[in-house]
Amino acid sequence: NQILNDISPLLMKIFLNILASVLLVFNGAGALFGGWNLMSHPDGSSLQLSMDWLKHTPFPDYLIPGIILFIANGLFSVFVFIAILLKLTEYFWLIMIQGAILTGWIVIQIALIRTIDFLHVLFGSIGIVLFILGWLLFQYDKPSATTHS
């Protein structure tokens, strides 16, 4: 029974890390691709985005949103994924931060373009799930009250 008590949290932590990694790679790859396309084609044509979506935003084109997307959701997701692989100390904070950044990105995007579609719901949900995964991993890393040194 003690062996099961020791293994179960380890298996759960492995599962949470794998799930976070999959979501980070999915988000990161999409953000790198989308951000690069927006930087390369600021008119949005390579992603078939309408310039009309920008009429209520402070942006004349998609260049600045592309840069932000590329860095904040693309490169940072890759960095967090690498932090998981390297088992950096307290990497769970990075997962929570990426979840908050992604969720914030989606909320701000919806507010600015004044529309919502499936991808907003999908990536907004991924942001929330990443935040929850980071929090759960934090719970598994906290020293137990019953642990003796």
Side-chain angles (χ1 to χ4, degrees), residues 32-101:
L32 290 172
F33 175 80
W36 183 260
N37 272 281
L38 294 176
M39 291 185 295
S40 302
H41 306 279
D43 63 353
S45 62
S46 65
L47 297 176
Q48 299 172 350
L49 298 179
S50 171
M51 290 296 287
D52 287 342
W53 285 3
L54 297 175
K55 66 183 170 189
H56 299 292
T57 74
F59 308 111
D61 58 28
Y62 289 102
L63 178 63
I64 300 301
I67 292 169
I68 297 168
L69 178 63
F70 189 85
I71 294 170
N73 283 307
L75 293 179
F76 193 67
S77 283
V78 171
F79 172 74
V80 177
F81 174 64
I82 292 168
I84 292 172
L85 294 179
L86 297 177
K87 299 177 183 171
L88 295 183
T89 306
E90 299 187 347
Y91 65 89
F92 46 80
W93 289 112
L94 297 173
I95 298 170
M96 286 190 276
I97 291 167
Q98 181 60 70
I101 289 170

